[in-house]
Amino acid sequence: MKLFVQIPCLDEAGTLPLVLATIPREVAGFDSVEIVVIDDGSTDGTAEVARRLGVQHVVRHTRTMGLARSFRDGVDHALAHGADVVVNTDGDNQYPSERIGDLVAPIVAGEADIVVGDRQTATIAHFSPFKKLMQRVGSRVVSAAAGASLPDAASGFRAYSRAALLRLNVVTQFSYTMETIIQAGNKRLRIASVPVTTNPKTRESRLFRNIWQHMGRSGRAIVRSSIMFRPHLVFLTLAAVFFVAAAVPAVRFLVFWASGDPGGHIQSLVFAAAMLVGSLLCLALLVIADLLRTNRTLVEETLERVKTMQYGPPPGAPPGPSQGGDASDVSQDATA
């Protein structure tokens, strides 16, 4: 069993040594622990610092590609080098790397496919009351969309099994955190949480300028993923809302018409017609979204087979023709 710890970095030369110093080199259930640093176009020599500190796996982007792409490239590199479990932490030393053993324990025990480190955001001193509230609301929304119970859905301190990573596909350009959780829940992967505490804040987030931008981008990711996996829930709900909005003025018009006073209320009939058209459009969009979901399912099944051929099957998988592929010729230092 091989554990990979991946660290996405953007100008983290100052804090990366702290992160590397606290990563355990031996974890129960694993024969080896390896580290991969993804340098997302840093200009402060982050990649050189990683190599100087003994990191053998460095993936470097020549320009900033974003957190989601860094996560995906790190996962690809880890799987190509035989990772059985991949842990993601941050280069700003936010997460307690010494708790990696506790984070991967449910996967080693066969109790979970993905484990999320619960930062217990209500106890974080530098979070404002509004941010704590939004974190709690956002986690509940993501939990509902994923069909799971997650107290901290935005946490980036996570562990993924090889089988889970072969099934997950990151398509967003902002952050993988919401999308992978919603995907995992709808693909019936087992998700667990482990309570952790965070280290003192070292810098402001580079992922977003303010909480409003974070909320907007996260909201778009949640809506997109929900439409992708649960179009019936989304579009039937919208269709019902439009239908009710059409029924109320239509009934009002009919009541006046039945009482012999239809004049002057034609605007109710026009509004009802407009709302009814909206309801019908939602039903049409539902048909299109359902067809796209079916197509996505087929594409993802094909992609999962391709990944299995490229990286090899997860531990314990039955032998088969899809076990082909040899990752030994993949370079340890990639440039994207």
Side-chain angles (χ1 to χ4, degrees):
M1 291 278 285
K2 184 181 291 187
L3 171 64
F4 260 77
V5 180
Q6 69 169 27
I7 313 172
C9 295
L10 174 60
D11 295 330
E12 306 289 7
T15 55
L16 183 58
L18 299 175
V19 179
L20 294 175
T22 56
I23 294 177
R25 297 316 193 259
E26 294 184 359
V27 176
F30 295 93
D31 302 315
S32 64
V33 177
E34 301 188 30
I35 300 172
V36 55
V37 170
I38 305 94
D39 181 0
D40 191 26
S42 298
T43 58
D44 65 347
T46 295
E48 289 71 21
V49 170
R51 292 190 182 95
R52 189 170 65 248
L53 293 174
V55 177
Q56 296 182 347
H57 302 274
V58 177
V59 178
R60 188 171 187 278
H61 296 160
T62 55
R63 59 177 296 181
T64 301
M65 307 293 289
L67 179 59
R69 179 59 185 267
S70 297
F71 172 81
R72 189 176 66 189
D73 288 348
V75 166
D76 288 344
H77 187 87
L79 291 177
H81 287 77
D84 297 295
V85 175
V86 176
V87 168
N88 187 88
T89 188
D90 280 356
D92 62 356
N93 198 41
Q94 173 186 176
Y95 302 116
S97 298
E98 63 274 7
R99 294 290 306 278
I100 286 176
D102 297 326
L103 194 69
V104 300
I107 295 179
V108 174
E111 299 171 352
D113 301 299
I114 299 173
V115 183
V116 180
D118 172 18
R119 296 170 295 174
Q120 305 176 81
T121 54
T123 66
I124 299 178
H126 65 266
F127 276 18
S128 67
F130 179 73
K131 187 172 183 178
K132 291 178 181 179
L133 174 62
M134 290 299 99
Q135 289 280 353
R136 186 164 61 252
V137 171
S139 293
R140 289 180 179 177
V141 172
V142 174
S143 296
S149 178
L150 291 170
D152 187 12
S155 172
F157 191 44
R158 301 181 176 190
Y160 296 83
S161 69
R162 184 182 186 87
L165 291 172
L166 291 176
R167 297 191 63 189
L168 295 176
N169 301 290
V170 179
V171 297
T172 183
Q173 298 297 315
F174 172 56
S175 175
Y176 64 93
T177 54
M178 306 295 184
E179 183 180 20
T180 53
I181 287 297
I182 295 175
Q183 276 194 46
N186 284 277
K187 292 180 178 180
R188 300 296 188 267
L189 296 176
R190 297 167 299 173
I191 310 172
S193 292
V194 171
V196 298
T197 55
T198 58
N199 294 322
K201 184 178 179 179
T202 58
R203 60 165 174 78
E204 296 296 331
S205 174
R206 297 194 182 104
L207 187 61
F208 49 87
R209 291 190 297 270
N210 53 61
I211 190 173
W212 300 106
Q213 184 187 51
H214 177 61
M215 289 170 55
R217 291 184 174 182
S218 298
R220 288 198 300 270
I222 293 171
V223 170
R224 182 169 56 246
S225 297
S226 298
I227 293 175
M228 192 179 300
F229 291 101
R230 297 187 176 183
H232 291 81
L233 177 62
V234 174
F235 289 111
L236 283 179
T237 300
L238 288 175
V241 170
F242 278 112
F243 184 80
V244 171
V248 172
V251 170
R252 178 177 183 271
F253 176 82
L254 291 174
V255 168
F256 282 110
W257 180 79
S259 63
D261 182 26
H265 304 289
I266 192 67
Q267 64 271 21
S268 296
L269 190 61
V270 172
F271 182 78
M275 293 298 100
L276 185 60
V277 169
S279 180
L280 294 175
L281 285 175
C282 287
L283 294 177
L285 289 173
L286 170 59
V287 173
I288 296 173
D290 188 59
L291 293 174
L292 291 174
R293 184 184 64 165
T294 301
N295 184 66
R296 177 185 172 89
T297 300
L298 295 175
V299 171
E300 288 195 329
E301 288 179 355
T302 302
L303 184 56
E304 183 179 347
R305 291 176 181 269
V306 171
K307 288 181 180 179
T308 303
M309 294 174 63
Q310 180 179 2
Y311 302 129
S322 64
Q323 288 191 17
D326 186 356
S328 61
D329 61 343
V330 179
S331 170
Q332 289 186 332
D333 189 352
T335 299

